[in-house]
Amino acid sequence: MLLCAFSASLGWLSFAASPSGGTITPSGPTLTWTGTGNGVPPAAGGESDCEQGANCDAFKLTISGTPADWVAAGKQVKVRIVWLLNSSDYDLYVHKGSLDGPVIASSGAGGTTFEEVTLNPNSSNIGTGDFFVNVVYFAATQADQYNGSAAVVAAGAPPIPAPTPASGVAPRYQNHTPPAA
């Protein structure tokens, strides 16, 4: 019974990218993987048409540390997939916690040779932990397989805070009719 439960929990690995996962910290390393699906049938309906191992595959990305570690380092994670021909089309979805978890980022442009998203661990809907990068073979074949990467990049400047509200009497706007001259 325990063996069955364990093998069921690892079922997603049989349909995973190669390698099936990796861990990234604010200091790196850059993680790379290659798609393993064959693109048959195409997932023209997007993620709802996914058949893991055929027209979709997943990479388990673990972002380690705490959001404070990432803020202190001024870093975030860029996830990117690339392929050779712009006639191929892949879509990228990042799920939090599991492949069935909420989608926290996605990219699905056509006519390009890449898709990318940026994950900021300081964002309240992202944080750190396990994420699943699900790549959909929207209109792609095994002959033009994608390569994926997750890299640490600078977080950029924080947003500019809103100005403090003015105090005092609010301005009035009136029409003034001058006296007759």
Side-chain angles (χ1 to χ4, degrees):
M1 174 79 160
L2 182 59
L3 184 58
C4 289
F6 179 70
S7 64
S9 70
L10 295 178
W12 71 272
L13 289 173
S14 62
F15 305 118
S18 178
S20 60
T23 300
I24 197 165
T25 70
S27 59
T30 294
L31 304 173
T32 59
W33 67 93
T34 302
T36 60
N38 58 28
V40 178
E47 209 175 18
S48 62
D49 284 350
C50 271
E51 294 177 30
Q52 289 295 327
N55 58 16
C56 291
D57 67 18
F59 177 81
K60 181 180 179 184
L61 171 63
T62 302
I63 299 177
S64 70
T66 66
D69 296 334
W70 289 84
V71 170
K75 303 294 183 178
Q76 57 190 0
V77 179
K78 182 179 282 187
V79 177
R80 181 177 172 99
I81 59 171
V82 297
W83 57 95
L84 295 175
L85 305 172
N86 65 1
S87 59
S88 292
D89 190 11
Y90 292 91
D91 291 342
L92 173 69
Y93 297 87
V94 180
H95 294 265
K96 185 171 183 170
S98 71
L99 257 173
D100 296 327
V103 174
I104 57 161
S106 65
S107 178
T112 67
T113 58
F114 72 95
E115 300 289 351
E116 69 182 17
V117 297
T118 303
L119 307 176
N120 187 341
N122 191 39
S123 178
S124 61
N125 69 326
I126 296 177
T128 57
D130 291 336
F131 300 86
F132 288 80
V133 178
N134 195 29
V135 177
V136 177
Y137 292 60
F138 187 81
T141 65
Q142 195 168 15
D144 188 17
Q145 196 62 262
Y146 80 91
N147 291 296
S149 66
V152 175
V153 296
I160 298 171
T164 56
S167 61
V169 178
R172 298 182 315 160
Y173 301 96
Q174 300 174 338
N175 289 329
H176 176 71
T177 306

